Amino acid sequence: KAGVTQTPRYLIKTRGQQVTLSCSPISGHRSVSWYQQTPGQGLQFLFEYFSETQRNKGNFPGRFSGRQFSNSRSEMNVSTLELGDSALYLCASSLGVGRTTYEQYFGPGTRLTVT
Amino acid sequence: AQKVTQAQTEISVVEKEDVTLDCVYETRDTTYYLFWYKQPPSGELVFLIRRNSFDEQNEISGRYSWNFQKSTSSFNFTITASQVVDSAVYFCALSEADNQGGKLIFGQGTELSVKP
């Protein structure tokens, strides 16, 4: 089975611009979660989508948004970029169904640099 | 409040030494899950183990073993006979059942360096 894929792998943007990152989960996985990783704050949860609905949300400003499509692929968008948004953005997928908490499998990440 | 603490920021050992990575968690939920992930220099997080709060059995997988103790809210990870390929950052994470598993709370990570 193919793993979680993320595109693009690297991105350089200017302050004030917006950016869209894409994530394709493992086939059959319906839950997609997004995380931001920075040296200072570590790994922080952004949001989770399941069946095209946001099921959980982290403590990030409204500039960070996401969506999920019917094929479980997900995108996240960051508007009005700030220097502090420079980070590795990780996407993870899991089965997500029922009451069991399944393990999440991570993609390679998108390295975003804001200048 | 939910929180995961990995007090050891960096650990350096010589190959073949045993090493234990500590993880302490906080949660008010009675049903929760604990995880360990490995992040090698390539950057991709690799899943190692999942444990639910009702299963306190220790687990061994090859050179890896995990010790889960609810009484001390700890979920420690031991690598026996460490190898250079074990060098990576290791993260402990917590997920509460109420959020249906989509949200992982990570510790700050422990960077393990295994020298030949």
Side-chain angles (χ1 to χ4, degrees):
Chain A
K1 251 187 190 177
V4 178
T5 59
Q6 291 187 246
T7 56
R9 293 291 312 277
Y10 301 91
L11 208 47
I12 300 176
K13 290 285 188 178
T14 304
R15 256 184 316 177
Q17 288 186 315
Q18 75 159 15
V19 66
T20 298
L21 312 181
S22 181
C23 171
S24 292
I26 291 171
S27 177
H29 284 191
R30 293 168 60 186
S31 167
V32 173
S33 297
W34 288 88
Y35 297 84
Q36 181 196 66
Q37 186 175 25
T38 60
Q41 299 299 316
L43 277 157
Q44 292 187 287
F45 171 77
L46 280 155
F47 29 64
E48 182 219 1
Y49 287 87
F50 177 79
S51 291
E52 302 178 66
T53 301
Q54 188 180 85
R55 191 162 66 172
N56 283 290
K57 189 177 186 314
N59 192 23
F60 277 81
R63 299 185 298 107
F64 291 82
S65 63
R67 60 177 175 167
Q68 187 180 35
F69 302 95
S70 58
N71 61 359
S72 293
R73 192 177 69 83
S74 177
E75 288 181 348
M76 69 163 278
N77 184 278
V78 188
S79 62
T80 320
L81 284 166
E82 300 177 359
L83 294 178
D85 297 334
S86 294
L88 180 65
Y89 289 88
L90 292 161
C91 164
S93 77
S94 71
L95 284 170
V97 296
R99 294 292 299 169
T100 298
T101 295
Y102 296 95
E103 59 271 20
Q104 296 183 19
Y105 293 91
F106 284 78
T110 294
R111 172 76 62 187
L112 172 65
T113 302
V114 182
T115 62
Chain B
Q2 42 187 307
K3 186 179 178 183
V4 176
T5 302
Q6 294 179 254
Q8 305 148 307
T9 306
E10 296 177 15
I11 299 177
S12 182
V13 299
V14 177
E15 214 172 13
K16 296 183 184 169
E17 280 186 34
D18 297 348
V19 58
T20 295
L21 309 182
D22 297 334
C23 172
V24 174
Y25 62 91
E26 294 176 32
T27 178
R28 292 195 196 124
D29 278 14
T30 54
T31 304
Y32 53 89
Y33 293 78
L34 296 164
F35 303 82
W36 275 95
Y37 283 86
K38 172 182 179 180
Q39 188 174 40
S42 60
E44 191 164 332
L45 280 160
V46 177
F47 166 75
L48 295 177
I49 189 172
R50 177 190 72 167
R51 173 69 74 221
N52 76 54
S53 53
F54 298 108
D55 181 4
E56 284 193 77
Q57 277 194 341
N58 291 331
E59 179 152 341
I60 298 175
S61 176
R63 296 184 298 106
Y64 295 171
S65 63
W66 291 269
N67 181 276
F68 176 28
Q69 291 197 337
K70 284 177 77 169
S71 60
T72 55
S73 296
S74 65
F75 186 43
N76 297 336
F77 173 31
T78 297
I79 301 175
T80 303
S82 60
Q83 299 176 2
V84 173
V85 293
D86 296 327
S87 296
V89 181
Y90 290 85
F91 291 95
C92 180
L94 163 72
S95 180
E96 294 174 336
D98 279 354
N99 65 49
Q100 296 174 280
K103 176 181 178 180
L104 291 177
I105 303 298
F106 285 90
Q108 286 298 100
T110 297
E111 183 171 4
L112 174 64
S113 176
V114 182
K115 302 191 186 312

